C-alpha cells in the first residue's frame, strides 16, 4: 500500500469516528460488544457500529441498555431501527486542520483542568451547550481552561481519538466574556498539543453556527464532511440527553 492510500484510509476513518475510536485508541472505554460499541454513561453518550446496516441495527436493539439515551455521529444518513425513539437530530460539519494558523501569544490565566474543576466545567457546559459533557468526560484528557477571579470562563479539550486524528471538543466561553477571542485561543492551544503528539486535529460544529465556523477556518480548519448527529433511546424507556 502506497503512502497516498494510507493517508486516504486514515482520513476516511473520520467518516465513522466513534466506531474508529472505540475500535482502536479508545477501546478501553468500550462498554458494549464487538459490534455495538459505546462509552460509559458518565463519560459520553456516543455509540458506534461499523456499517449501520440492517444487521447492525438489529444487533443495536439487542445490545443497548434500556435506561439511557445514545448519540450517533457519522458522515452519512443512518436509519434507526424500529423500537427506538428519536429525541433530537441536527446537521453538523466535520472540520479538520491539515496546518494550523497560530494565533498571537497572550498573557492569559490558562491551566490544565483536573477533577477538582469538574463542577465548574459542568456549570459552563450547561450554560453554553457545546455538546455533551458529563461528570467523567474529563477522562478523555487534555482539557485546558481560562480563569477570571477563580471562575472558569472558557475551556477546550480533546475527545475522540482515531488513527492519526484527535478531536477538539467542549469549546465554549461564558456569555459574559464572548468577543475576546478566548475560544479561538484555547482551540489553537489544544490543536498545537495534538500536532505535537503526531496527530491531526478535527472537530464537529453545528452547520448553522457560522460564527464558530469562521473562527475555526481562520485557525486553518477546513470543512471535510456533512455529519449526521442524532440522539435516541429505546422506545418506551426514559433516557437522558
Amino acid at each position: 500500500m502506497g503512502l497516498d492510500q494510507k493517508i486516504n484510509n486514515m482520513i476516511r476513518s473520520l467518516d465513522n469516528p466513534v466506531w474508529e475510536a472505540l475500535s482502536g485508541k479508545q477501546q478501553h472505554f468500550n462498554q458494549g460488544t464487538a459490534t455495538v460499541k459505546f462509552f460509559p454513561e458518565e463519560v459520553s453518550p456516543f455509540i458506534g457500529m461499523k456499517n449501520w446496516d440492517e444487521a447492525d441495527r438489529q444487533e443495536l436493539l439487542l445490545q443497548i441498555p434500556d435506561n439511557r439515551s445514545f448519540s450517533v455521529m457519522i458522515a452519512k444518513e443512518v436509519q434507526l431501527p424500529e423500537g427506538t425513539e428519536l429525541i433530537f437530530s441536527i446537521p453538523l460539519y466535520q472540520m479538520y486542520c491539515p496546518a494550523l494558523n497560530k494565533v498571537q501569544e497572550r498573557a492569559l490565566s490558562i491551566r490544565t483542568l483536573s477533577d477538582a474543576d469538574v463542577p465548574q466545567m459542568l456549570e459552563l457546559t450547561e450554560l453554553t451547550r457545546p455538546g455533551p459533557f458529563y461528570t467523567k468526560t474529563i477522562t478523555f484528557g487534555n482539557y485546558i481552561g481560562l480563569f477570571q477571579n477563580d471562575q472558569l470562563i472558557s475551556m477546550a479539550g480533546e475527545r475522540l481519538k482515531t488513527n492519526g486524528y484527535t478531536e477538539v471538543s467542549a469549546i465554549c466561553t461564558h456569555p459574559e466574556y464572548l468577543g475576546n477571542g478566548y475560544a479561538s485561543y484555547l482551540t489553537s492551544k489544544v490543536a498545537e498539543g495534538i500536532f505535537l503528539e503526531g496527530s491531526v486535529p478535527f472537530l464537529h460544529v453545528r452547520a448553522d453556527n457560522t460564527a464558530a465556523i469562521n473562527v475555526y477556518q481562520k485557525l486553518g480548519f477546513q470543512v471535510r464532511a456533512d455529519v449526521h448527529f442524532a440522539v435516541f433511546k429505546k422506545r418506551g424507556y426514559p433516557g437522558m440527553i
Side-chain angles (χ1 to χ4, degrees):
M1 183 185 297
L3 178 59
D4 289 344
Q5 185 62 44
K6 287 182 179 179
I7 293 173
N8 287 336
N9 288 344
M10 285 172 59
I11 200 166
R12 278 201 297 270
S13 72
L14 295 183
D15 288 344
N16 196 356
V18 177
W19 170 262
E20 294 292 339
L22 287 171
S23 299
K25 290 187 174 183
Q26 293 174 316
Q27 59 184 303
H28 58 283
F29 279 117
N30 182 28
Q31 288 204 327
T33 67
T35 55
V36 180
K37 303 183 179 188
F38 51 87
F39 289 95
E41 185 172 15
E42 66 274 17
V43 174
S44 172
F46 287 114
I47 189 167
M49 297 188 294
K50 186 174 183 179
N51 299 308
W52 287 90
D53 55 15
E54 181 60 28
D56 277 355
R57 288 193 291 271
Q58 293 307 311
E59 187 72 10
L60 177 73
L61 279 178
L62 294 173
Q63 300 300 336
I64 60 173
D66 298 334
N67 60 348
R68 62 175 287 195
S69 55
F70 292 92
S71 299
V72 53
M73 186 167 63
I74 189 170
K76 70 175 183 178
E77 193 77 20
V78 299
Q79 180 182 351
L80 295 172
E82 293 291 333
T84 61
E85 178 182 343
L86 178 66
I87 300 173
F88 177 76
S89 181
I90 193 167
L92 304 178
Y93 286 142
Q94 183 185 85
M95 305 181 74
Y96 82 115
C97 184
L100 182 65
N101 298 325
K102 293 185 178 181
V103 298
Q104 184 176 357
E105 289 296 328
R106 302 175 63 178
L108 299 174
S109 179
I110 295 172
R111 63 170 172 82
T112 300
L113 300 175
S114 68
D115 289 344
D117 299 305
V118 168
Q120 286 207 60
M121 297 170 78
L122 291 170
E123 288 180 9
L124 184 59
T125 53
E126 176 67 23
L127 181 65
T128 58
R129 300 287 183 172
F133 196 93
Y134 303 146
T135 56
K136 296 295 184 181
T137 302
I138 194 172
T139 57
F140 281 125
N142 296 330
Y143 285 88
I144 58 174
L146 170 63
F147 289 80
Q148 182 79 32
N149 297 324
D150 295 323
Q151 179 189 4
L152 179 65
I153 62 171
S154 189
M155 61 179 268
E158 298 178 4
R159 188 167 62 186
L160 300 177
K161 294 178 181 288
T162 71
N163 185 21
Y165 295 88
T166 297
E167 183 187 22
V168 187
S169 184
I171 305 166
C172 57
T173 299
H174 193 287
E176 294 179 5
Y177 295 90
L178 293 174
N180 293 296
Y182 296 152
S184 176
Y185 190 76
L186 292 180
T187 301
S188 174
K189 287 300 180 184
V190 173
E192 281 182 15
I194 292 170
F195 275 118
L196 288 173
E197 294 173 348
S199 293
V200 174
F202 73 104
L203 55 80
H204 295 92
V205 59
R206 287 176 54 140
D208 61 356
N209 192 348
T210 55
I213 292 169
N214 289 336
V215 167
Y216 302 145
Q217 286 177 330
K218 289 178 181 178
L219 291 174
F221 284 83
Q222 304 172 10
V223 174
R224 179 189 168 268
D226 295 315
V227 169
H228 174 75
F229 173 82
V231 181
F232 69 94
K233 65 182 180 67
K234 277 190 177 180
R235 189 176 302 278
Y237 292 95
M240 62 178 288
I241 298 179

